[in-house]
Amino acid sequence: MSRRRRLALLSLAVLLLAGAGLVHWLLQPQRLAPALLGMAGDALGLEITASGIGEYRLRGTPQLIVRGVVAREPGAAKPLLSAERILISVPWSTLRARGRDLTAVRLELDAPVFDLAAFQHWLAARPPGETRIPTLTDGIRVDGGRIQGDGWTLERIHLRIPHLAPDRPLRGQLQARYTGSGLQAPMDLAFHLARLGQDGGVGIAGQATPAGKDWRLPVRLRLSAYLRQAESRLERVVLGARADYLANTARHSFALGVAGPLEFAEGLRLRAGAFALRGRDAMPTLDATGDLGLGGDGLLLDWRGQMAGWPTAWPSLPPPLGRSASALPFALAYRGTADLADIAHLRLQRDTTRFDARFRLFEIMDWLDALQAGRGSPLPPLSGRLTTPRVEVSGAILEGVDLRMDDPALPATDTSP
């Protein structure tokens, strides 16, 4: 073998060894993971780092695991996303396409924490243009996640999406617990979106259990609507729910129907909606229109409507009120904590009789239950005023009645619905 040929072979061997060393160096988890996260961060305008030890697998379908992941806008104090562990599995064809093909196999996130305000700030700063949605042939799994909103948290998130693809129906299962403004509500919901990434029909079905300090409200619900993504709005919302109010030994069942447009950019807000409540015993039957909102500042309720009749479990009305079959128009307003522990305002009318009251809802429910059991005070725990031109009490006829009640446990105020 000539000297020139031996030198050529030696040079080739050195290059091969150097190349193998370089590939080995690049494919070490402590170097590969930061490089890939840096590429993803550059594409999204984020700083993405991983403090934990990474893992990768190249045999079969390439797979990368990174731990201690934090993603934030450059210079931002709060991260947009952090996660204990992220797994992404990507086929070789996607890697060879170098971004032209966004098909992956599976995405898994363990204990991700998602800051909604930081996400909205990043989203507002993104350049205009079409957002590309990847395909995940084996779907998404999220365990132990949390979304932090303004005054509320959605925690213990377990999400399963079996398949994700742009412009295709999206189906999944969500388990989580809402916490905010004194209210907790574990939920288990199945959801369906007609077209991912586009406006379209939405369906949700399952159960939730809002709970306050001394009560629970198990609810079975079904919702259908039309999603307007750009406006953060659900149109043509139709919600049907069956619920049981549980407190101590009391149990009151009712059905609720809701229709109207729902905004969800900052909390939930149903404006100019229609509400139908069908109850029995202590729960009234009524129809109303108005607003309903839930967000970081608590619960807002503003209804005006008509009761179908006087509930059988409520104290009997004296004549002539009790003999009247006239309508019972009402106005009900509440603004306070989401557990309904603050003061509600009610205006109720029948013929020429008018009643204005302020009360705490669950104190009234407890009083009604005690009254049915033959114990407790005959006077309700409320502050208010009753005016009527004529009433019969124990055989006596009273005219020009103006009755005022004052519950010392309620703060004095002139606010009314």
Side-chain angles (χ1 to χ4, degrees):
M1 181 182 296
S2 67
R3 184 171 179 271
R4 179 178 295 181
R5 187 165 183 175
R6 285 196 301 271
L7 287 174
L9 289 174
L10 180 61
S11 300
L12 179 59
V14 169
L15 288 174
L16 289 174
L17 288 173
L22 179 62
V23 170
H24 174 74
W25 183 84
L26 286 174
L27 291 183
Q28 293 182 53
Q30 66 268 27
R31 295 183 176 89
L32 177 63
L36 293 178
L37 293 177
M39 292 172 59
D42 291 342
L44 296 172
L46 295 171
E47 293 177 350
I48 305 178
T49 60
S51 59
I53 298 175
E55 304 173 23
Y56 69 90
R57 184 190 72 190
L58 298 180
R59 183 176 300 173
T61 301
Q63 175 179 292
L64 174 67
I65 297 175
V66 287
R67 293 182 170 84
V69 181
V70 176
R72 71 178 76 230
E73 282 192 86
K78 286 186 176 182
L80 181 154
L81 173 71
S82 61
E84 290 183 3
R85 171 184 174 273
I86 296 179
L87 176 148
I88 179 71
S89 179
V90 182
W92 284 108
S93 58
T94 298
L95 296 176
R96 289 192 294 267
R98 298 183 179 181
R100 295 187 301 273
D101 182 5
L102 294 185
T103 298
V105 176
R106 185 167 178 82
L107 177 65
E108 297 181 1
L109 296 95
D110 291 346
V113 178
F114 184 75
D115 189 282
L116 189 58
F119 171 75
Q120 290 173 335
H121 186 273
W122 168 78
L123 194 62
R126 295 291 293 160
E130 182 182 356
T131 300
R132 298 180 65 190
I133 298 175
T135 295
L136 291 164
T137 58
D138 197 24
I140 299 174
R141 178 186 65 77
V142 176
D143 282 322
R146 185 169 87 248
I147 298 176
Q148 184 63 56
D150 181 14
W152 60 269
T153 302
L154 195 64
E155 58 187 2
R156 300 181 186 178
I157 297 173
H158 297 278
L159 174 67
R160 300 292 186 270
I161 297 176
H163 181 81
L164 183 144
D167 304 328
R168 301 288 297 173
L170 175 70
R171 294 178 177 85
Q173 190 80 24
L174 171 68
Q175 295 177 332
R177 186 179 72 170
Y178 173 91
T179 302
S181 192
L183 181 74
Q184 293 188 2
M187 62 190 73
D188 187 349
L189 304 171
F191 59 88
H192 172 263
L193 179 62
R195 290 179 295 178
L196 180 61
Q198 298 185 26
D199 294 349
V202 176
I204 299 174
Q207 57 188 18
T209 307
K213 182 180 178 182
D214 302 311
W215 59 272
R216 293 188 304 121
L217 193 70
V219 179
R220 299 164 298 283
L221 62 90
R222 298 182 71 89
L223 178 145
S224 63
Y226 188 87
L227 172 65
R228 296 287 188 187
Q229 289 194 118
E231 294 87 4
S232 298
R233 179 183 177 92
L234 290 176
E235 296 180 350
R236 305 195 293 273
V237 172
V238 177
L239 168 68
R242 291 188 175 275
D244 296 292
Y245 167 72
L246 307 175
N248 299 320
T249 59
R251 183 187 188 101
H252 302 288
S253 301
F254 62 93
L256 176 66
V258 180
L262 178 67
E263 300 168 2
F264 56 88
E266 297 180 0
L268 302 175
R269 185 68 180 267
L270 186 77
R271 301 180 188 272
F275 305 88
L277 179 67
R278 298 293 180 264
R280 59 172 185 253
D281 300 327
M283 298 298 296
T285 290
L286 58 86
D287 294 284
T289 58
D291 295 351
L292 180 65
L294 178 65
D297 55 351
L299 178 67
L300 165 69
L301 187 150
D302 186 4
W303 288 2
R304 280 163 173 76
Q306 183 170 300
M307 288 174 50
W310 193 256
T312 57
W314 292 11
S316 300
L317 295 174
L321 288 175
R323 292 194 297 260
S324 175
S326 299
L328 286 158
F330 74 90
L332 177 64
Y334 176 87
R335 184 185 292 272
T337 56
D339 62 353
L340 292 170
D342 285 323
I343 297 171
H345 303 260
L346 173 68
R347 183 175 69 243
L348 186 62
Q349 189 170 346
R350 171 170 269 180
D351 300 325
T352 54
T353 299
R354 174 169 169 153
F355 178 58
D356 291 274
R358 300 168 48 250
F359 54 89
R360 290 187 171 93
L361 175 63
F362 297 119
E363 291 180 2
I364 293 291
M365 298 295 293
D366 291 342
W367 172 76
L368 287 171
D369 292 332
L371 205 64
Q372 283 187 298
R375 52 184 171 79
S377 170
L379 297 177
L382 57 80
S383 295
R385 180 182 183 185
L386 172 71
T387 60
T388 184
R390 182 174 179 272
V391 68
E392 299 176 20
V393 180
S394 300
I397 298 177
L398 305 178
E399 295 184 345
V401 175
D402 189 338
L403 176 64
R404 297 172 187 263
M405 292 166 283
D406 183 31
D407 183 354
L410 298 177
T413 179
D414 294 329
T415 303
S416 60

